[in-house]
Amino acid sequence: PMGIKDPVSFQDPVWTILHIALYLDVHPDSVLGLVNSNGFPIPLVNQRRNRRWLAVDVKRFLEKRSKGELPPRTHYQINKSQEPKTIRIKYQTGG
């Protein structure tokens, strides 16, 4: 129903990690960093396991990446004076 055939075909409209690994000719474990990178398309169904993407979106991302057209990674400013609310510090009084 998802449009994925076995064995994996580049003609499938929906791609998995295995599709992307075969397309890039790398080990599937090597693709995990790529799919979590800035600008990679959002998965269709699940955000963690058995993720699937539209093949056209993945190809478009890889094309932009090869041309250096992806936006730079957003950097967050950390407020060093802020204390986490989940940590409680016990102060000792003189004694």
Side-chain angles (χ1 to χ4, degrees):
M2 290 286 293
I4 299 171
K5 302 177 195 103
D6 193 25
V8 176
S9 169
F10 294 133
Q11 303 305 317
D12 294 339
V14 177
W15 279 11
T16 64
I17 294 276
L18 186 56
H19 286 87
I20 299 167
L22 290 172
Y23 187 76
L24 297 174
D25 195 28
V26 297
H27 192 275
D29 291 342
S30 302
V31 177
L32 297 176
L34 175 70
V35 300
N36 293 322
S37 67
N38 187 38
F40 197 84
I42 297 172
L44 294 174
V45 181
N46 195 337
Q47 300 295 322
R48 298 266 180 210
R49 299 179 124 196
N50 301 320
R51 293 178 278 183
R52 285 153 171 51
W53 300 265
L54 289 176
V56 294
D57 291 344
V58 174
K59 289 176 185 177
R60 189 177 309 124
F61 168 82
L62 294 172
E63 181 181 346
K64 285 183 178 182
R65 182 174 156 236
S66 70
K67 294 178 181 178
E69 296 176 359
L70 292 178
R73 182 175 286 275
T74 305
H75 295 283
Y76 297 99
Q77 295 292 335
I78 297 173
N79 182 354
K80 295 179 181 179
S81 65
Q82 181 179 359
E83 285 189 34
K85 294 179 181 179
T86 57
I87 297 176
R88 295 190 178 146
I89 301 172
K90 293 183 180 181
Y91 293 99
Q92 293 182 351
T93 56

